[in-house]
Amino acid sequence: MATDDSSLIDEVRTLTDYDAGIIDDTEYQDLLSVAKEELQNDVNQSVTFFSGNRAVDRALFWLLCLYSKIKVGEIEAPTFEIAEIQVRQEQLDDRANWWLRQYQKNVDKIAAGARGKIVSVSRSDRTYAFDN
């Protein structure tokens, strides 16, 4: 698990095999900034703990891998038509879908952890009587 942005980028470089000659550190930082914004949008909440949370770390990892592959042209980015009110997205190929599924699994974990939980409440100011 990455401990900061630099170690996350190193992990992505290890998996994708994109060294600094393919995507330099500045470009990776830019991609990571976009990935962080996208993650916050996808979980519909502010994510301020990008390192130290396994699901957040892994979601960023997989999304940054996907963005890297799009950046170098290995995977085509979805297309958009400005003239349409609704954004139209072309079907991603199986390779792109695999990367996206890995990301989505971790986003689901983050969203599940953010949902409210039922907790036991103890109140001493109430009494209950049953007549049956």
Side-chain angles (χ1 to χ4, degrees), residues 8-19 22-24 27-32 34-35 60-77 99:
L8 179 63
I9 290 169
D10 289 343
E11 287 181 359
V12 171
R13 285 190 189 284
T14 299
L15 185 64
T16 61
D17 205 26
Y18 298 151
D19 62 24
I22 298 172
I23 300 177
D24 66 32
E27 290 174 309
Y28 259 123
Q29 280 298 138
D30 292 344
L31 288 173
L32 183 56
V34 173
L60 279 173
F61 171 79
W62 290 111
L63 189 57
L64 190 55
C65 286
L66 180 62
Y67 284 2
S68 300
K69 293 193 167 289
I70 290 170
K71 175 122 178 107
V72 300
E74 190 174 323
I75 295 174
E76 290 187 21
W99 295 95

Side-chain angles (χ1 to χ4, degrees), residues 113 115-123:
R115 293 184 189 120
K117 297 178 183 175
I118 298 173
V119 295
S120 175
V121 177
S122 176
R123 295 190 175 146

Side-chain angles (χ1 to χ4, degrees), residues 121-132:
V121 177
S122 176
R123 295 190 175 146
S124 60
D125 62 338
R126 295 186 181 181
T127 57
Y128 301 93
F130 299 98
D131 294 335
N132 50 356

Side-chain angles (χ1 to χ4, degrees), residues 91-99 101:
Q91 185 70 22
L92 293 173
D93 66 16
D94 287 339
R95 287 183 311 148
N97 275 325
W98 184 85
W99 295 95
R101 278 192 308 273

Side-chain angles (χ1 to χ4, degrees), residues 37-61:
E37 289 179 25
E38 188 63 28
L39 176 60
Q40 289 185 74
N41 184 58
D42 285 348
V43 297
N44 199 23
Q45 63 182 343
S46 177
V47 178
T48 56
F49 50 93
F50 287 112
S51 62
N53 180 301
R54 185 149 184 84
V56 171
D57 176 75
R58 294 299 84 189
L60 279 173
F61 171 79

